[in-house]
Amino acid sequence: DISADFWENAARLPHHAPPGRRATPDANVNDTSTSPSEFLSQTFFVPALAATDKPGVLAELADVVVARGIVPAANRDAILAALVEREEKMSTGMQYGIAIPHAKTEFVDRLVTMIAVSKAGVPFETLDGEPASIFIATLSPPEDANSHIRFLAVVTRQLANRRVREKVLEAATKEDLVAAFEKPEGASL
C-alpha cells in the first residue's frame, strides 16, 4: 500500500530508463533550481474537464494535444491508445485527488505536459479510493527517459501542499495556475 510517502519522496524519484537505455546523467530529479513557473510555461491547462470517467479524461487529454497542434488529428487515437495502455498496466491515480496519466509515444518529439481539473472529481482508481480532481499528464518520446520524471517531481512536490491543491482547483486561467504553484501557503497535506 503506497501512502503519503509518495508526496514526501516526490523529489527523490529514481532515474528510470527503458531497457537497453541509460538514464542521462544530467537529468537530476533533485534539482530544485527550476521554478514551477518555468516548468509550467509550456504546460497546457484545462480548467474544466467535461469527462465523468477515466476513459473520458484520457480522451480529453488526447484531444488537447490535437487542438493545440502538437499532434495531427490523424494521430489522436494513437495518443489515446498509449494513455489507455499505460493505465491498463497500473492506474496512475495517486491520492489527495491527484492522478498522473502519462505515456511514451513516437508521435511527440519533446515532453508535452498538461494539467487538467475536474471540480466534480472523476473515479480514477486512486490509492485512497477518492475521485481524482487534478490530472498531471505527460507525453514523451520513447527515447526520453527522464524529462517526465523531472516535471512530475517539481509539480508533485508543490501538490503535496493542500493549499496549492485548493488553488489549482480554483484556477480559471493559466496565470491562476502558475500563481497557485508559485505562492504556496501552509504545509499541510
Side-chain angles (χ1 to χ4, degrees):
D1 185 323
I2 299 173
S3 65
D5 292 339
F6 171 83
W7 302 108
E8 205 171 290
N9 296 314
R12 294 187 292 273
L13 290 171
H15 299 277
H16 288 291
R21 296 186 195 271
R22 293 182 49 204
T24 56
D26 60 344
N28 181 1
V29 296
N30 295 315
D31 179 8
T32 58
S33 64
T34 304
S35 72
S37 64
E38 289 176 81
F39 267 80
L40 296 174
S41 67
Q42 299 297 311
T43 297
F44 299 116
F45 178 50
V46 182
L49 284 171
T52 58
D53 59 14
K54 183 187 272 195
V57 169
L58 300 177
E60 276 192 67
L61 294 172
D63 292 341
V64 168
V65 294
V66 170
R68 301 296 173 93
I70 301 300
V71 298
N75 295 336
R76 183 248 186 219
D77 289 345
I79 296 295
L80 177 57
L83 288 166
V84 168
E85 180 181 334
R86 172 58 188 86
E87 284 298 319
E88 288 174 347
K89 289 180 185 174
M90 180 179 185
S91 178
T92 60
M94 297 288 105
Q95 53 195 15
Y96 304 114
I98 308 295
I100 54 170
H102 57 281
K104 300 247 182 211
T105 175
E106 68 270 10
F107 295 108
V108 297
D109 60 3
R110 63 176 174 78
L111 176 67
V112 176
T113 60
M114 297 169 271
I115 296 179
V117 172
S118 168
K119 289 183 179 34
V122 176
F124 215 82
E125 301 174 61
T126 58
L127 296 173
D128 59 10
E130 296 297 318
S133 296
I134 300 172
F135 299 87
I136 313 302
T138 66
L139 296 170
S140 54
E143 67 277 2
D144 182 348
N146 291 310
S147 62
H148 72 289
I149 294 171
R150 292 183 67 227
F151 176 80
L152 290 172
V154 170
V155 173
T156 58
R157 185 179 309 120
Q158 294 293 324
L159 287 172
N161 181 314
R162 180 185 48 83
R163 185 65 188 129
V164 172
R165 294 191 305 270
E166 290 170 353
K167 286 184 173 187
V168 169
L169 288 171
E170 296 167 0
T173 66
K174 175 80 174 273
E175 292 75 22
D176 294 342
L177 177 72
V178 171
F181 281 92
E182 286 292 331
K183 301 173 187 166
E185 300 166 8
S188 63
L189 291 173

